[in-house]
Amino acid sequence: MPTAIAKPADPSITVIQDSTCTFCGCVCDDIDISVKDNHIVEAKRACVLGKSWFFNHAVDERPSCLIEGKPASVADGIERAARILTDAKYPIIYGLSDTTCEAQRVAVGIGDWIGGTVDTTTSVCHGPSGMAFQGVGEVTCSLGEIANRGDFIIFWGSNPAESHPRHFTKYSLMPKGMFLPNGRKDRTAVLVDVRKTKTARAMDMFYQIKPRRDFEALWTLRAIAKGFELDPTQVFDDTGIELARWQELMDQMKAATFGVILFGMGLTMTRGKHINTEAVLALVRDMNAFTRFVAKPMRGHGNVTGADNVVSWRTGYPFGVNMSRGYPRFNPGEYTTSDTLARGEADAAMIIASDPMANFSQAARERLKVIPFIALDPKDTPTTRAATVVFTTATYGINAPGTVYRMDDVPIPLRPAFKSPHPSDFEVLSGIERRVKEIKRSRHPA
Ligand code: SF4
């Protein structure tokens, strides 16, 4: 299991060096965790969110499998799950952002075998970015390049001070890089947002735009970049910021050596959604006529970027993919889970490491309550409590090995701390896939 183990003074403690925190999209892989009696007692270098993730981890005492609330063997659970999925006319698979790429790959395979719909939590966070990338393309880079080169950093609708606490110190503000020997002093940082979040305190400039006017603000910058004359009154009415301040920002953007826009859900989930993201990607593309500029989404959950990558390399699309015709079709709004449930179309579901019963619309939750569904989760949640078949699984990163993707699409291996009595998502899904294939073959012999 663990790949790098140090010898501490206390022999009852095991230290796993360079372990990976999967709590947020930074996926920090430099955490030294100390384990005593199957409890994590220290998580060196983890931020407050990471520490809470490691310290509050406890192996769930529930049985590894429940069928209709009664303890069952994992083999029986797999059999029942495979039957539910193969008997359905419109089965859906949802979640996937808090599990390993290996498990995600198998889940997409099951979706293909059952002619189902595969969707991830991207559809309720950065889904609009996934659509915009397909429409506009992406001028991108790794977080390492930002750390070594990024001298003009714009955070747009994101609040890393609270959501990704080590982003500033590891990548975007503080590190002394190859071309930024003085670290923070060599960088200019800007926040564009509708409210003054904690991130604003760490910035050199703050642009408080009107709510729901990101699209107008981005197109104002695009127009200024191209040298179009704008009406100052209209710009102020549209964005809440004077034209002269936008001009000042654009002048600094053009003067940068390596500019970066890091955008969050304040951009992607407000009015405009995917056209907001298209606007930021188009602005960055425009800026490359003057200097090097890139854009990156600030991804939230640990392996949501892995989910996008795995679903993309298996189907060609990042989320909301329907395979009922034997080939993948992508149509957000039609094949996204909150919609297929709310319209009453899905007649069976498998939810992996996600809790739609806690955060979907009333209509979607009502539908989920009345259809048979399977839930895989290390935790007891409203979704696992309503499921027909529940698998309590090992926590990825802490108990289960595998691969996750950092928010900049860099794959990172996991170094788990100790074994769980529960199977991993990968093991359960592999069992379900095997049974699904057998059932399908028995019904349609060659
Ligand atoms: S920044 Fe994110 S990945 Fe890094 S330690 Fe904190 S919560 Fe974990």
Side-chain angles (χ1 to χ4, degrees):
M1 291 254 294
T3 52
I5 301 174
K7 284 203 176 116
D10 180 348
S12 65
I13 290 180
T14 307
V15 178
I16 293 92
Q17 291 179 318
D18 295 334
S19 191
T20 303
C21 174
T22 54
F23 187 78
C24 85
C26 285
V27 188
C28 298
D29 59 349
D30 60 350
I31 314 291
D32 291 350
I33 49 179
S34 303
V35 183
K36 184 172 182 168
D37 300 332
N38 283 354
H39 277 94
I40 295 170
V41 292
E42 174 64 286
K44 211 165 150 192
R45 287 186 283 277
C47 70
V48 61
L49 298 180
K51 281 193 192 321
S52 156
W53 162 252
F54 284 117
F55 294 164
N56 292 329
H57 172 73
V59 173
D60 199 302
E61 298 296 332
R62 287 174 303 153
S64 295
C65 181
L66 295 168
I67 299 178
E68 290 168 3
K70 296 193 180 69
S73 69
V74 171
D76 286 349
I78 285 172
E79 179 64 28
R80 182 71 180 271
R83 293 280 167 196
I84 288 172
L85 294 173
T86 48
D87 288 346
K89 288 197 170 67
Y90 197 135
I92 57 170
I93 296 174
Y94 175 74
L96 295 171
S97 58
D98 267 325
T99 190
T100 61
C101 292
E102 289 77 2
Q104 292 162 349
R105 181 180 59 76
V106 179
V108 180
I110 295 171
D112 195 4
W113 277 97
I114 60 178
T117 296
V118 177
D119 186 33
T120 75
T121 57
T122 286
S123 65
V124 291
C125 61
H126 271 275
S129 307
M131 294 163 70
F133 291 145
Q134 304 237 346
V136 179
E138 185 186 15
V139 188
T140 185
C141 71
S142 70
L143 291 177
E145 283 177 276
I146 295 174
N148 281 296
R149 298 171 185 274
D151 63 343
F152 196 84
I153 317 287
I154 301 175
F155 296 94
W156 196 301
S158 61
N159 181 16
E162 290 182 277
S163 59
H164 302 76
R166 294 187 78 207
H167 203 281
F168 289 164
T169 49
K170 286 191 78 182
Y171 307 116
S172 50
L173 286 192
M174 311 312 288
K176 292 181 178 170
M178 205 180 294
F179 302 99
L180 304 159
N182 303 308
R184 179 68 181 88
K185 288 192 193 123
D186 287 337
R187 292 187 175 87
T188 304
V190 183
L191 174 67
V192 183
D193 209 336
V194 297
R195 64 195 172 93
K196 197 168 186 175
T197 60
K198 279 191 182 161
T199 293
R201 289 187 213 150
M203 300 291 113
D204 300 302
M205 295 188 278
F206 174 46
Y207 283 66
Q208 185 161 8
I209 58 170
K210 278 186 179 175
R212 300 150 56 88
R213 296 300 177 92
D214 300 85
F215 180 82
E216 287 82 351
L218 286 159
W219 273 76
T220 299
L221 283 170
R222 289 195 74 195
I224 296 170
K226 299 245 176 189
F228 290 111
E229 266 194 34
L230 297 175
D231 174 1
T233 310
Q234 190 188 347
V235 167
F236 186 74
D237 282 352
D238 283 349
T239 67
I241 303 279
E242 296 86 6
L243 176 58
R245 285 199 69 210
W246 287 122
Q247 183 67 58
E248 181 195 357
L249 179 60
M250 179 47 63
D251 291 345
Q252 294 196 50
M253 288 168 73
K254 285 184 177 175
T257 304
F258 191 104
V260 184
I261 301 182
L262 295 159
F263 58 96
M265 283 170 60
L267 180 82
T268 64
M269 293 312 272
T270 52
R271 174 178 154 267
K273 291 194 172 182
H274 70 279
I275 62 166
N276 290 346
T277 314
E278 284 182 5
V280 90
L281 297 177
L283 170 64
V284 161
R285 191 183 56 198
D286 295 349
M287 290 308 298
N288 278 274
F290 308 99
T291 186
R292 175 79 173 134
F293 234 95
V294 299
K296 296 288 319 163
M298 294 287 289
R299 303 309 305 275
H301 292 294
N303 198 26
V304 70
T305 307
D308 290 359
N309 275 277
V310 172
V311 179
S312 294
W313 56 250
R314 295 224 74 188
T315 71
Y317 304 107
F319 66 97
V321 186
N322 177 274
M323 291 181 273
S324 61
R325 289 193 183 167
Y327 55 88
R329 291 181 293 163
F330 174 59
N331 198 7
E334 185 177 5
Y335 302 133
T336 34
T337 300
S338 57
D339 304 290
T340 50
L341 284 173
R343 287 194 300 265
E345 293 166 354
D347 62 350
M350 180 157 68
I351 312 291
I352 301 152
S354 178
D355 191 11
M357 284 304 257
N359 52 41
F360 271 16
S361 68
Q362 177 80 12
R365 283 184 279 132
E366 290 301 326
R367 181 63 182 172
L368 199 51
K369 267 188 212 162
V370 298
I371 61 174
F373 78 95
I374 305 121
L376 284 75
D377 207 306
K379 303 179 298 295
D380 180 33
T381 67
T383 299
T384 61
R385 272 171 243 146
T388 316
V389 182
V390 185
F391 294 98
T392 306
T393 50
T395 304
Y396 78 134
I398 292 180
N399 308 127
T403 311
V404 297
Y405 276 60
R406 206 168 60 186
M407 65 163 78
D408 56 346
D409 303 298
V410 171
I412 309 266
L414 298 177
R415 298 194 172 100
F418 56 94
K419 283 197 173 188
S420 164
H422 303 300
S424 66
D425 292 333
F426 173 75
E427 288 165 334
V428 173
L429 291 169
S430 297
I432 294 174
E433 185 184 40
R434 203 164 36 245
R435 273 306 289 146
V436 162
K437 281 186 196 175
E438 288 165 2
I439 294 167
K440 283 280 178 188
R441 284 194 187 119
S442 70
R443 288 179 188 171
H444 307 283

